[in-house]
Amino acid sequence: MAGMSAARPPGRTPRLVPAASQMSELPQLVVDGLVSGAVLAIAAVGVSLVYGILHLVNFAHGDYLTFGAYAGLGVTALGLSLVVATVVAIVATAMLAVGLQLVLWGPVRRRRAGLLSSFITAIGLALVLRHAIFLVVGAGSRAYPVDQFSVERLGPVRVSISQLIAISLSIVAIAVIGLLLARTSIGRSMRAFADNPELAAVAGVDVGRIVLATWLIAGALAGLAGELQGLIQGAFDPNMGWNLLLPIFAAVVLGTIGNAYGALLGGFALGLVMELSTWSVLGGGIPASYKYVVAFLALIVMLLVRPQGLLGRRARAL
Amino acid sequence: MARGNRLVRVLAVVSALAVAACGGASSSPGTAKFTLKVGMVLPFTGDLATYGPSLDKSARMAVTMVNDALKKDGIDVTAQVVGSEDDQTTPAAGVEAATKVVKTEGAQVVVGSMSSGVTLAIAQSVAIPNNVLLVTPTSSDPALTTLKGKNQLVWRIYPSDLLQGAALAQAMGDTFGKNATINVGARNDAFGTALAQEFERAWRAGGGKIGQEVIYNTNQASFDADALKLASGNPTAWVIADFPPTFAKMGPALVRTGQWAPAKTLMTEAMDNNDALNQIGAPATDGLRGTAGSAPAGASADAFEAAFKAANPGAKFTSFEGTSFDAVVLASLAAVKAGSADPSKIKLQMRAVSGPSGDKFGWQQLPDAFKAAQQGKSINYQGAWGQMAFDKNGDPTAATYVLWQHQAGQTTNLKTFPFGRPR
């Protein structure tokens, strides 16, 4: 083996035209980016909806994801299938989100807590949730009973079973969210409320119902995203959702804060930027440890050029 | 140095005689009475939770054996465990834990921690400012050697990566040939980057080539892009510096690239854990090899394992227990030789009890060793982990390594090889 590998030219010469081997990397990186982007997108929609309608920056959203991942794991531990686990993860996390609205966010709102105090409350909730999960499941890492090693070859691309599941479920979820927001009356009311709460209330939109529906959707999506992240990551521990929080927020900002469609777009864009940053065409490849740096640099540049986000309207001068 | 020691010894004997002649009591080694307070800061949760509890048990076993030996010798010194705190394998929690052990529980000697990042944080924020002796059982980061202002307060039992990187390069050369092209992967922390750097230096010095170097973040959502890069370029073999919980994510991602083989990969001691490797799964671990710092193989090592298991029925033996055991014994020997529990006196005796000068005493001969220490003699302690022969930076200069391999669900040692440099 030694000595058989092609000799490398002394000192890497920068190449403007990608070599064949570099081109063959591209589809793989794109697919990997779409998979991580899908999870970010689904989670970001929830954060964006909650912000748009409740004006709450839910710092605990990452831990909703973790909750969903462990709810699903608990079901598979009972020997039930991944389908049942997915349903339970979605339902349990939606229930958690609605429950927390009833016992925490509702009262906090009634006492007219400001944006900052709600934000701090959310940080506190994040810590409580995460450590409650630590207490129950322990610190060790766990995995779903899915083969992490085998891959399907789709042309030049290798996709794991987990990634296939994640992609298909994401497509379904995104289609459902899209239909829900665009076609159903509750979806239309939610968007109306996010655009102009006073006008929506005057027009007879039931605010209490909108709030509960928002949490129900955000929670369900968080549960699904948590399980999918657990799947594609292979092994996960109770810090999983927390570690994902920053990219999720970035996706929300990237796609215009409060805009659900924008959050979807932002999630995919961020996932793609992160994975593609390691492509060897870019100056011989940026070191993989700078993935997040590249992603957030892209975010900053984007916001300098388009401060309103990908789908935002330019602020109107009064 | 030897001449200096002799002078100190002569002075000690003269002053001891003078004190004896006057009939007065003082803090000379022979008559000192004190309690040495030992505290543990170890990972009971987090990435290294597999090891922390076992190292805590063996440190406590060492305290018991030290006290038995002191009692047998009639030396009026006691070692006392003031507490064991969890550093969660993170620097922040480690500093909190060490602060508790030192400030609340009053430890004079801290045994901890395992991960280099945690040990560096504890040393800088707690041990050095509070003038407490810190003996780390397993931290291998070269940064500990050159830590600013450490003032002889920081010691380690497990050898530095400066030694391990070279040992890994030697094992790699023996296995794949000295001129092979190696891809290097490492977790992005003090341990991973230092090991990668030291391996690469030793490998290039021996005439080998480095292909890809991939330093990856441990908390990221996906490892696929990193794995693709690490697997690329058709190298002869790989070196990967990682811990089991992260490799549980990186390993499958590497397998999925279809261009990587565990049988062509060398890793380090943190992966030498049969349960963890089996949990990660055969496709990512079958045929995997690696170096590990090791106790010298043979009768002494077998006896230590048996003693640990007898003292801790049902506890898991991870093979690293000797490190925390020797940490406690060396600090206690130095304290008895110094005749004081004051860390600023203990630290001056650490080298003198670690060999290579002085009479040899094994870990099973603690009563004789403490008698010699009480008489102010230099001691060549032959620990459960091995011979230390500390240099002036607090690093062991001698160590034993094994080349292990994981095959068909079993981790076995292929060979044991000593590695050392002049003190």
Side-chain angles (χ1 to χ4, degrees):
Chain A
M1 280 297 289
M4 268 179 59
S5 55
R8 199 184 285 270
R12 235 175 276 170
T13 42
R15 233 184 258 152
L16 292 177
V17 182
S21 68
Q22 291 172 322
M23 281 318 292
S24 70
E25 271 175 52
L26 190 59
Q28 183 68 53
L29 290 172
V30 169
V31 168
D32 290 341
L34 287 176
V35 173
S36 7
V39 174
L40 288 180
I42 294 176
V45 170
V47 173
S48 202
L49 278 178
V50 167
Y51 181 81
I53 289 166
L54 301 157
H55 288 278
L56 170 71
V57 181
N58 188 14
F59 219 74
H61 204 78
D63 302 284
Y64 286 24
L65 260 72
T66 313
F67 179 85
Y70 277 96
L73 186 77
V75 173
T76 59
L78 297 175
L80 296 167
S81 78
L82 206 60
V83 179
V84 184
T86 310
V87 173
V88 170
I90 292 171
V91 172
T93 315
M95 290 295 116
L96 175 80
V98 169
L100 282 170
Q101 161 63 24
L102 296 179
V103 301
L104 179 69
W105 297 122
V108 164
R109 192 172 196 75
R110 275 197 293 281
R111 278 156 208 249
R112 305 195 176 281
L115 187 66
L116 190 63
S117 20
S118 311
F119 181 63
I120 302 293
T121 309
I123 295 177
L125 175 64
L127 289 169
V128 170
L129 271 180
R130 182 149 50 106
H131 286 95
I133 295 172
F134 261 117
L135 265 182
V136 175
V137 300
S141 51
R142 309 284 188 87
Y144 288 107
V146 172
D147 186 352
Q148 292 293 334
F149 300 107
S150 59
V151 285
E152 300 295 325
R153 282 159 209 265
L154 308 171
V157 176
R158 304 165 66 89
V159 189
S160 72
I161 312 278
S162 298
Q163 287 178 319
L164 277 177
I165 298 176
I167 288 178
S168 14
L169 283 181
S170 309
I171 292 171
V172 174
I174 289 167
V176 170
I177 305 165
L179 282 177
L180 196 86
L181 289 178
R183 297 291 162 82
T184 65
S185 76
I186 186 80
R188 274 196 295 267
S189 313
M190 281 166 72
R191 283 189 297 144
F193 192 82
D195 274 351
N196 192 333
E198 288 81 19
L199 200 63
V202 169
V205 167
D206 180 348
V207 178
R209 193 162 144 259
I210 297 273
V211 169
L212 283 185
T214 305
W215 278 116
L216 200 69
I217 295 169
L221 291 175
L224 178 65
E227 183 179 283
L228 295 185
Q229 180 60 31
L231 270 173
I232 59 174
Q233 197 173 301
F236 60 95
D237 65 21
N239 285 323
M240 182 189 81
W242 178 254
N243 291 333
L244 216 57
L245 191 67
L246 207 54
I248 293 173
F249 275 24
V252 172
V253 175
L254 192 61
T256 305
I257 301 170
N259 183 322
Y261 300 120
L264 281 175
L265 202 61
F268 281 110
L270 203 65
L272 281 172
V273 171
M274 278 202 269
E275 299 300 299
L276 286 176
S277 71
T278 61
W279 192 22
S280 53
V281 171
L282 307 167
I286 295 164
S289 52
Y290 291 111
K291 254 197 233 178
Y292 277 15
V293 178
V294 172
F296 284 96
L297 256 177
L299 176 71
I300 291 169
V301 171
M302 223 293 296
L303 290 181
L304 282 174
V305 179
R306 265 187 83 85
Q308 69 273 37
L310 286 173
L311 292 192
R313 277 174 301 215
R314 198 172 285 277
R316 268 167 298 191
L318 283 173
Chain B
M1 196 59 216
R3 216 173 303 142
N5 272 346
R6 213 170 296 143
L7 183 66
V8 169
R9 229 179 295 157
V10 169
L11 283 178
V13 170
V14 169
S15 56
L17 284 176
V19 168
C22 299
S26 86
S27 70
S28 73
T31 52
K33 273 189 201 183
F34 59 87
T35 301
L36 180 67
K37 292 182 175 169
V38 182
M40 264 70 85
V41 177
L42 291 166
F44 293 88
T45 58
D47 274 6
L48 292 177
T50 331
Y51 303 97
S54 294
L55 263 70
D56 180 52
K57 288 193 177 74
S58 67
R60 285 169 180 270
M61 179 172 107
V63 169
T64 310
M65 286 179 64
V66 164
N67 282 329
D68 289 349
L70 291 167
K71 204 174 194 180
K72 195 173 167 196
D73 290 341
I75 300 173
D76 213 349
V77 173
T78 343
Q80 183 199 345
V81 178
V82 293
S84 302
E85 299 296 332
D86 179 14
D87 65 42
Q88 301 172 19
T89 332
T90 65
V95 167
E96 211 173 291
T99 306
K100 185 172 181 205
V101 161
V102 169
K103 292 213 171 146
T104 313
E105 293 164 355
Q108 292 140 336
V109 173
V110 173
V111 175
S113 181
M114 296 193 67
S115 153
S116 295
V118 180
T119 304
L120 282 165
I122 296 177
Q124 284 168 313
S125 322
V126 185
I128 297 170
N130 290 294
N131 191 38
V132 165
L133 195 79
L134 179 69
V135 190
T136 163
T138 60
S139 297
S140 57
D141 186 356
L144 270 177
T145 305
T146 51
L147 194 62
K148 280 215 172 72
K150 74 175 178 181
N151 197 12
Q152 288 186 276
L153 283 167
V154 184
W155 303 78
R156 66 170 125 206
I157 304 299
Y158 193 89
S160 158
D161 290 338
L162 290 171
L163 216 53
Q164 199 191 150
L168 196 61
Q170 180 183 311
M172 183 61 97
D174 292 350
T175 318
F176 295 100
K178 286 193 185 310
N179 302 317
T181 300
I182 309 297
N183 278 9
V184 178
R187 51 190 283 121
N188 191 12
D189 65 5
F191 162 76
T193 51
L195 192 106
Q197 200 184 345
E198 293 310 326
F199 169 78
E200 288 171 16
R201 185 180 304 171
W203 186 245
R204 289 200 177 104
K209 288 183 279 297
I210 302 293
Q212 295 282 356
E213 186 206 63
V214 179
I215 309 288
Y216 50 90
N217 291 326
T218 55
N219 283 337
Q220 52 185 340
S222 146
F223 288 78
D224 288 305
D226 314 63
L228 198 63
K229 195 165 186 186
L230 180 52
S232 69
N234 197 20
T236 312
W238 285 265
V239 162
I240 302 176
D242 204 350
F243 297 156
T246 316
F247 195 68
K249 297 178 252 184
M250 187 51 155
L254 280 167
V255 172
R256 292 196 294 266
T257 66
Q259 302 168 38
W260 172 77
K264 290 183 185 175
T265 301
L266 258 64
M267 296 189 75
T268 56
E269 82 290 342
M271 299 299 295
D272 183 14
N273 179 326
N274 201 41
D275 294 347
L277 289 171
N278 281 333
Q279 207 185 338
I280 293 168
T285 58
D286 198 47
L288 196 68
R289 273 169 282 200
T291 53
S294 152
S300 165
D302 295 345
F304 182 73
E305 185 173 345
F308 178 83
K309 284 177 176 164
N312 303 286
K316 192 172 54 174
F317 188 79
T318 64
S319 88
F320 285 92
E321 284 74 5
T323 55
S324 57
F325 181 93
D326 286 351
V328 170
V329 171
L330 283 164
S332 309
L333 281 170
V336 169
K337 187 167 186 303
S340 167
D342 179 355
S344 41
K345 294 191 173 134
I346 299 176
K347 71 181 187 187
L348 301 177
Q349 302 300 334
M350 287 294 280
R351 291 189 76 189
V353 298
S354 76
S357 55
D359 288 339
K360 281 188 181 180
F361 297 101
W363 65 272
Q364 289 155 297
Q365 297 158 294
L366 292 188
D368 296 338
F370 278 102
K371 205 175 281 171
Q374 191 202 21
Q375 291 159 3
K377 291 179 183 163
S378 284
I379 291 164
N380 184 2
Y381 173 63
Q382 309 287 303
W385 185 254
Q387 233 231 52
M388 296 303 131
F390 289 129
D391 67 9
K392 65 178 179 0
N393 296 316
D395 285 345
T397 57
T400 310
Y401 291 91
V402 293
L403 182 67
W404 53 265
Q405 183 165 35
H406 187 72
Q407 209 144 35
Q410 275 303 319
T411 307
T412 48
N413 289 340
L414 300 178
K415 64 172 180 181
T416 305
F417 58 103
F419 205 84
R421 60 174 172 85
R423 186 151 100 130

